[in-house]
Amino acid sequence: MRYGLTADLGLRLSLRDGVRIAYDVSRPDAPGQRFPALIARSPYGRQLQRTDAPIPQNEAGITEFWVPAGTPM
């Protein structure tokens, strides 16, 4: 089954030492259903996770492919 994609982009998380890190949350558009989490971290800009090409900096794969193909828990 394919789902739509819901994304919250450019969110910020404050760490205890005052550093703020940027992150994105992408999830299938399926309210009330649970899905496993895939987490990717990278020293490269978070925008590289949202490309059409599988470049080496794109550790998690193409978000627009994996998230809509989610399998509910």
Side-chain angles (χ1 to χ4, degrees):
M1 174 171 230
R2 299 286 296 174
Y3 298 92
L5 180 106
T6 299
D8 296 320
L9 307 175
L11 301 173
R12 299 284 177 169
L13 176 68
S14 295
L15 305 179
R16 288 184 288 191
D17 62 0
V19 171
R20 294 183 65 197
I21 58 173
Y23 67 100
D24 298 332
V25 176
S26 299
R27 60 189 168 279
D29 188 14
Q33 292 192 42
R34 294 176 42 163
F35 295 85
L38 299 173
I39 299 173
R41 65 175 207 180
S42 174
Y44 304 104
R46 62 184 172 70
Q47 295 86 352
L48 289 176
Q49 295 299 321
R50 297 174 43 236
T51 63
D52 292 334
I55 56 178
Q57 294 89 344
N58 192 327
E59 292 94 354
I62 300 171
T63 301
E64 287 78 7
F65 171 80
W66 289 112
V67 173
T71 302
M73 294 175 74

